[in-house]
Amino acid sequence: MGGVFSRKGFLESMQTVDQRIAKELGVREEQVTAAIRLLDEGATVPFVARYRKEATGALDDTQLRRLQERLRYLRELDERREVVLRTVQEQGKLTPELEAAVKAAETKVALEDLYLPFKPKRRTKAQIAREHGLEPLARSLFENPELVPEEAAAAYVDVEKGVPDISAALDGARHILMEEFSEKADLVGSLREYVWEKGILRSRVVAGKEDAGVKYADYFDVDQPLKNIPSHRALALFRGRREGFLKLALVVDPAAEPPRRPHADKSVPVPEEKQAAGSPAGSASAAQLTEPQTIALRAPAPAEPPSVASAEGEAAPAAEPTPDLTAQAPQTVETPVPATGEASSEPVDGQGVPAPEPTTDLAAEAQGPVASEEPVQPPATNSAAPTESPAVTEPPAVSESSA
């Protein structure tokens, strides 16, 4: 009982429900008492949060909901505590240490662990083994680990008592010890925490059920820490086991292999040391996996510039054969811009020398066409045209002053 009883829990058990909730929420006890009174009268949390702020000291909706949940939990815990104390006392097994431990229990789980040895139960295998007289064997094996189990069990073989052989005697002693271990509250609590922190849930597909259970393919080969499994995934794993497609096992061996996560990327590179140990060509494959892999998209080769003729008139050979694009489109060579601001882009002749072309005045082109001072004369009419054609109206003459 020493592992379960704590002075902190005992002192907290002496506090009222209002005091414990006020301490957990970090508010005054008067605020909690007023809120509890309103909730007991039938008021809802939204109503109290909006219209009874002056009574609760402006407790918000979040605080009131947490207060309501803790109030329900602590009241149920106190009711269960009274039932446990009364039941154990009726059995005549209530001791001062047990009573203090029950009063100091802070959760329902801890309270049930204390009550487990005294809970009325069905006739178990451990009780049957005790009736067969195997409890002294279990005591001796537990207290003296140096004993040889087979030799110690040989003295308890008795067909008339229902112990036909050594194996049956050892099984009975094992059931007795298992029941005693499961009824030790401090041991059960520590084991529960250890399994929660270190346990790994292992899921494997049942042989031959790969096709039928394809909807559980994500869990055919999965190892995951127990504390990291979300609720929806746990439900899926249990459903797959119930339907006969998955096998689940709880592994608590700290030396077990690292857990494999569900939905893992199958293209993750394998470490170099594992590749080297797994295959003779491991070093090469590991190097290929560790190096960043890139895929180059080959673009069409750009057109090669025309080769420049040498002093002897021979063109320099090209480094790589390229398709002759000169037949499809004329090649152009941009010459340096001269000092006068002229530029040329001429087609190249067969010898690679640009053909001469008269230069143009870029400044004149920039100014655009100059309007003529002479008036535009209308086109002359055809004298041979038929007389019935409409006559062309002559434009008015422009005077010299307007010009």
Side-chain angles (χ1 to χ4, degrees):
M1 294 299 174
V4 176
F5 174 74
S6 63
R7 181 176 178 82
K8 176 183 176 182
F10 180 75
L11 293 177
E12 290 183 354
S13 65
M14 300 300 293
Q15 297 177 346
T16 62
V17 173
D18 298 5
Q19 293 173 344
R20 295 183 62 178
I21 295 178
K23 183 178 179 181
E24 293 176 3
L25 296 180
V27 297
R28 300 190 310 274
E29 183 179 353
E30 295 79 9
Q31 295 177 273
V32 175
T33 303
I36 292 176
R37 184 182 68 256
L38 292 171
L39 293 175
D40 290 342
E41 292 175 355
T44 61
V45 169
F47 177 83
V48 175
R50 185 168 183 176
Y51 300 107
R52 294 294 182 267
K53 294 181 179 180
E54 70 283 353
T56 62
L59 292 178
D60 58 20
D61 185 87
T62 303
Q63 291 175 317
L64 288 172
R65 291 192 182 281
R66 187 179 174 187
L67 183 150
Q68 188 181 39
E69 293 175 359
R70 290 297 295 164
L71 176 64
R72 183 185 303 112
Y73 183 89
L74 292 177
R75 284 179 173 176
E76 292 175 357
L77 178 63
D78 288 342
E79 292 175 2
R80 183 60 177 170
R81 197 193 317 271
E82 294 177 1
V83 172
V84 170
L85 291 174
R86 184 173 61 253
T87 304
V88 177
Q89 187 174 12
E90 291 175 356
Q91 297 177 3
K93 300 179 180 179
L94 184 62
T95 62
E97 294 81 5
L98 178 60
E99 182 179 3
V102 170
K103 290 182 178 180
E106 303 176 13
T107 62
K108 295 179 181 180
V109 175
L111 183 61
E112 294 300 327
D113 289 343
L114 292 171
Y115 180 54
L116 184 60
F118 311 97
K119 183 182 297 185
K121 57 178 71 70
R122 298 177 181 177
R123 192 163 177 261
T124 63
K125 293 182 179 180
Q127 293 178 350
I128 297 174
R130 291 188 182 94
E131 295 173 359
H132 293 166
L134 296 176
E135 187 171 6
L137 174 62
R139 298 271 71 79
S140 60
L141 291 176
F142 177 72
E143 296 172 358
N144 189 2
E146 297 180 357
L147 291 177
V148 179
E150 290 76 10
E151 296 179 358
Y156 294 87
V157 176
D158 190 345
V159 179
E160 296 180 357
K161 292 183 178 181
V163 186
D165 51 19
I166 295 177
S167 177
L170 292 177
D171 287 341
R174 186 181 299 110
H175 288 301
I176 293 173
L177 294 176
M178 289 169 57
E179 186 178 82
E180 291 181 357
F181 295 156
S182 65
E183 293 176 352
K184 291 184 179 296
D186 52 350
L187 177 61
V188 172
S190 60
L191 287 177
R192 184 185 295 112
E193 295 179 1
Y194 178 82
V195 172
W196 178 253
E197 293 294 332
K198 304 294 184 181
I200 295 175
L201 185 61
R202 175 169 296 174
S203 175
R204 297 292 183 269
V205 62
V206 177
K209 297 293 186 68
E210 292 82 357
D211 296 335
V214 66
K215 64 180 179 180
Y216 298 104
D218 292 337
Y219 309 110
F220 281 178
D221 188 12
V222 174
D223 294 348
Q224 189 172 7
L226 185 62
K227 62 181 180 180
N228 295 339
I229 299 179
S231 58
H232 67 275
R233 186 173 302 160
L235 292 175
L237 290 170
F238 293 149
R239 185 169 60 251
R241 182 183 63 175
R242 184 174 63 252
E243 295 178 2
F245 300 118
L246 299 177
K247 295 185 299 183
L248 303 182
L250 185 60
V251 182
V252 293
D253 185 7
E257 59 183 2
R260 281 169 281 191
R261 296 176 297 177
H263 315 292
D265 185 7
K266 303 301 182 183
S267 62
V268 175
V270 181
E272 184 176 355
E273 57 272 12
K274 291 188 177 181
Q275 285 285 343
S279 61
S283 59
S285 59
Q288 294 176 359
L289 288 173
T290 54
E291 293 179 358
Q293 302 293 328
T294 58
I295 300 176
L297 299 177
R298 184 178 298 277
E304 293 290 338
S307 58
V308 180
S310 61
E312 292 77 12
E314 297 179 359
E320 182 178 354
T322 56
D324 187 8
L325 301 178
T326 56
Q328 302 176 6
Q331 300 291 333
T332 59
V333 177
E334 295 183 359
T335 59
V337 179
T340 59
E342 299 176 359
S344 62
S345 178
E346 302 86 9
V348 181
D349 58 6
Q351 298 297 330
V353 179
E357 184 178 358
T359 60
T360 58
D361 191 358
L362 298 178
E365 292 180 357
Q367 295 178 0
V370 180
S372 175
E373 296 180 358
E374 297 294 334
V376 179
Q377 297 295 335
T381 58
N382 189 0
S383 59
T387 57
E388 59 269 17
S389 61
V392 178
T393 305
E394 295 291 342
V398 180
S399 63
E400 293 181 359
S401 59
S402 63

